[in-house]
Amino acid sequence: MIPKFIRKKFHGVQVPLGKWILRHIFEFIVLSPPIFLTWMYLKIRKIEVLQIGESPVISRFIAPLEPELRRRSHNLALLNNVIIINLAADANSQIRKMYDKYFTIFGFDKPFRRRLVWWASRFANGHRLLVENKSDLTWSTSAPSHFFSEQEVEEGVKFLADHRVKAGQEFICYAVRSESYYLKLAKSGVSVKPRSVRNPSEELYLDALTRLCDSVVPIFRMGKDIESALDIFKYPDVIDYANKYRTDFLDVFLVSRCKFLLVGNTGLFWISAMFNKQSVHCDVYDIRHVQPLNDIYTFQRVWLINEKRLATVSEMLKMKSEYSDERHQARLGVELVKNTANEIYAACQEMNARIDGTWETTAEDEELQKRYLDLVIKYSDQPTWRGGGRVGTQFLRDNQDLLK
């Protein structure tokens, strides 16, 4: 039997641990000569190796890598003396292409080189695992480094023009967490569970956005591996991009150009963060996350079944993310309370006004924000997840009795 401390050390390995260890021992013996040469190269050139890619989703690529790029972009030497090893498949080819402009990245496209660097870096100048850090100051103090080529801009502008979006016209994108996306990942061999209980109702998001846009501002339905088509008779002003037109390039282009992005528990907002664009996050299922600076968010509340009341913010934080996980809900005696269409609408309305420069805040509203953040700071076990975003103003007003 493998000791518990060893199993904990290798948590996340997606094959039997004993087999994984034997395979790595054999691999190291066979590859020793090229590993030694790679080690010499890294040592002499003083190359730093950074590792990303716990899972083939865009959040595991952008979230850890973007702050590193912003820190290094002012100094070419800092970019030239680093190699990124990405252990997961690329979730979006356009995103990979944009980071390839700055970094040397070894991923699924160069598995042998990636493996040699992975081994050699453990004996050379250091091997650092990059993780998500919403608290990193570079998100708020640095300008984005990404840009599109002239040809890409022409392609993106043509797509918008073909879908009734004129030059300079505002449009909004939205995406909602779907079970089909996670099932497709699981089928491809990725160890992931859908956690369907976290999924919001897309109809509520459409209700909120169609009220906000009132047939004047175009709406793009975003997403990947979505099985259901949109009812074009019910939502004639919404463009079902996710089902009919989706490409990796257009995912990035549309999110980078929209007025703001509305997400219901999807990682698409990381593309917005790449370009310092604002997002509205609704139905957030883990309130230890304070979303990125200038973003607005609302969260799913927790109903305590036995006590017949809503959990306070501090009670939710003490449960970590277990309250939104089917495996733990029965033990905890909890159910999720999803955001309503009115709550989503109010958050979008606030973001729209803030971007337009017409939003007016009050001292009472700022006090509610402070009370909420103080609770997160006091009870959250994830200090690097505080991105500086704001809970929706109306949402806090309506739920201020939970701020304890």
Side-chain angles (χ1 to χ4, degrees), residues 55 57 59 176-196 198-199 224-226 264-267 285:
S55 181
V57 293
S59 60
V176 175
R177 192 179 197 274
S178 68
E179 184 177 35
S180 58
Y181 171 75
Y182 289 92
L183 290 176
K184 184 82 176 281
L185 279 179
K187 277 187 178 180
S188 69
V190 178
S191 179
V192 64
K193 293 180 175 59
R195 303 280 191 273
S196 303
R198 298 171 173 175
N199 296 351
K224 186 177 181 181
D225 298 323
I226 295 177
N265 283 335
T266 81
Y285 59 79

Side-chain angles (χ1 to χ4, degrees), residues 98-151:
M98 299 182 101
Y99 280 94
D100 276 338
K101 295 174 183 177
Y102 300 100
F103 288 120
T104 298
I105 302 175
F106 294 153
F108 266 43
D109 53 332
K110 297 174 181 176
F112 184 67
R113 290 187 185 182
R114 179 182 63 182
R115 206 66 192 150
L116 291 179
V117 171
W118 185 88
W119 276 113
S121 62
R122 276 151 171 73
F123 311 102
N125 304 309
H127 176 115
R128 185 155 58 95
L129 175 65
L130 298 182
V131 295
E132 174 186 327
N133 187 354
K134 285 194 177 85
S135 304
D136 196 306
L137 291 177
T138 58
W139 288 111
S140 57
T141 59
S142 302
S145 304
H146 304 285
F147 59 91
F148 296 99
S149 68
E150 288 185 13
Q151 183 179 352

Side-chain angles (χ1 to χ4, degrees), residues 50-119:
L50 307 176
Q51 178 183 316
I52 60 171
E54 296 176 357
S55 181
V57 293
I58 59 172
S59 60
R60 293 294 187 266
F61 189 94
I62 299 172
L65 198 50
E66 180 64 20
E68 286 295 326
L69 172 58
R70 295 188 182 201
R71 269 191 291 275
R72 298 166 185 265
S73 59
H74 67 283
N75 188 328
L76 193 60
L78 292 176
L79 290 173
N80 290 338
N81 288 340
V82 64
I83 291 176
I84 309 296
I85 53 175
N86 182 16
L87 300 188
D90 292 323
N92 183 294
S93 60
Q94 177 66 25
I95 293 173
R96 170 63 188 272
K97 178 181 176 183
M98 299 182 101
Y99 280 94
D100 276 338
K101 295 174 183 177
Y102 300 100
F103 288 120
T104 298
I105 302 175
F106 294 153
F108 266 43
D109 53 332
K110 297 174 181 176
F112 184 67
R113 290 187 185 182
R114 179 182 63 182
R115 206 66 192 150
L116 291 179
V117 171
W118 185 88
W119 276 113

Side-chain angles (χ1 to χ4, degrees), residues 367-392:
E367 177 61 24
L368 291 177
Q369 294 287 336
K370 183 179 183 305
R371 285 173 58 191
Y372 176 82
L373 186 58
D374 285 347
L375 288 168
V376 174
I377 292 171
K378 183 176 181 179
Y379 292 105
S380 173
D381 62 346
Q382 297 293 340
T384 63
W385 289 1
R386 298 169 199 155
R390 300 174 60 91
V391 182

Side-chain angles (χ1 to χ4, degrees), residues 126-250:
H127 176 115
R128 185 155 58 95
L129 175 65
L130 298 182
V131 295
E132 174 186 327
N133 187 354
K134 285 194 177 85
S135 304
D136 196 306
L137 291 177
T138 58
W139 288 111
S140 57
T141 59
S142 302
S145 304
H146 304 285
F147 59 91
F148 296 99
S149 68
E150 288 185 13
Q151 183 179 352
E152 288 171 334
V153 172
E154 287 179 10
E155 180 184 345
V157 169
K158 182 179 184 303
F159 175 81
L160 288 173
D162 290 343
H163 293 84
R164 311 188 308 274
V165 182
K166 301 173 184 176
Q169 184 181 0
E170 294 177 341
F171 63 94
I172 292 173
C173 295
Y174 85 94
V176 175
R177 192 179 197 274
S178 68
E179 184 177 35
S180 58
Y181 171 75
Y182 289 92
L183 290 176
K184 184 82 176 281
L185 279 179
K187 277 187 178 180
S188 69
V190 178
S191 179
V192 64
K193 293 180 175 59
R195 303 280 191 273
S196 303
V197 72
R198 298 171 173 175
N199 296 351
S201 166
E202 184 176 2
E203 285 198 2
L204 299 183
Y205 285 67
L206 285 164
D207 178 280
L209 281 180
T210 50
R211 270 195 282 162
L212 181 75
C213 297
D214 195 24
S215 301
V216 175
V217 178
I219 302 167
F220 285 85
R221 183 199 197 202
M222 310 292 289
K224 186 177 181 181
D225 298 323
I226 295 177
E227 292 180 347
S228 60
L230 202 63
D231 186 340
I232 59 174
F233 298 103
K234 190 174 182 180
Y235 304 106
D237 300 313
V238 180
I239 299 152
D240 193 0
Y241 160 82
N243 257 313
K244 296 181 179 180
Y245 312 106
R246 193 205 157 264
T247 68
D248 284 359
F249 161 69
L250 284 172

